[in-house]
Amino acid sequence: MIGGMRHRLASTEAAVAACRALASAYAREIEVSHDIGADQTSRRSAAGVGVTTDPDGSLPHEAFVEFGGLPRTTVRLYPEEDALITVEGVEFHDLPRDDVPAFLRALWDGTAFVRARRFPPGYRLVVPLPGDRTYKEPVPVIGLTAWLNSRMR
């Protein structure tokens, strides 16, 4: 983010490069696997065997990124410019691909937190991003890990 503007990640590969740079900056291990072609990507299971391109001729590229350390974090980058980020088992669906770097920074800088509610009892993992954007997802009570408990407010 420069001058309040989000970086545009024009491709899955650009998002993977951003994830690698962040892993390096935060001294995190990273493992990346790529699925390339309509017959390989998860959202195109109806493409048929051996069909690698979409009807428009493009070659879809999906990547799965796994980071070492706590919180346990994975990112699935989809060709449709969105992502699924899983943090300690809590899934954040349909995040814009461009928000992935800011989301990871919020986790690793310690600004993400768990909000507890007394009635009805419940928990939410809250990830604030620059520009007054916030992502919130419910945390199952049985899913409270040591890292999530350490972020309780």
Side-chain angles (χ1 to χ4, degrees):
M1 189 155 156
I2 298 173
M5 301 287 292
R6 284 189 281 179
H7 281 284
R8 173 85 175 96
L9 299 173
S11 66
T12 298
E13 193 55 42
V16 168
C19 287
R20 286 186 192 281
L22 281 168
S24 176
Y26 286 87
R28 301 233 173 204
E29 291 182 15
I30 184 172
E31 213 172 291
V32 181
S33 61
H34 297 271
D35 295 316
I36 300 174
D39 61 341
Q40 300 296 311
T41 57
S42 63
R43 292 184 174 168
R44 293 183 173 70
S45 59
V49 177
V51 177
T52 57
T53 59
D54 280 342
D56 66 357
S58 64
L59 189 63
H61 177 196
E62 184 175 299
F64 181 75
V65 182
E66 189 170 7
F67 296 96
L70 292 177
R72 290 173 301 167
T73 307
T74 63
V75 178
R76 180 166 299 280
L77 298 160
Y78 296 107
E80 296 83 11
E81 300 186 14
D82 66 328
L84 163 66
I85 299 180
T86 305
V87 181
E88 292 288 318
V90 179
E91 294 183 338
F92 291 81
H93 291 272
D94 302 320
L95 270 74
R97 181 169 59 202
D98 295 344
D99 281 351
V100 169
F103 190 100
L104 294 174
R105 274 191 226 86
L107 288 176
W108 299 338
D109 284 343
T111 59
F113 61 93
V114 174
R115 177 169 287 141
R117 186 179 62 218
R118 289 181 191 238
F119 190 81
Y123 303 94
R124 284 194 176 278
L125 178 54
V126 180
V127 183
L129 272 56
D132 292 328
R133 293 172 294 133
T134 303
Y135 291 102
K136 302 173 189 176
E137 286 297 329
V139 177
V141 175
I142 60 170
L144 281 173
T145 64
W147 184 86
L148 290 168
N149 271 321
S150 72
R151 301 290 180 248
M152 196 75 63
R153 283 192 187 171

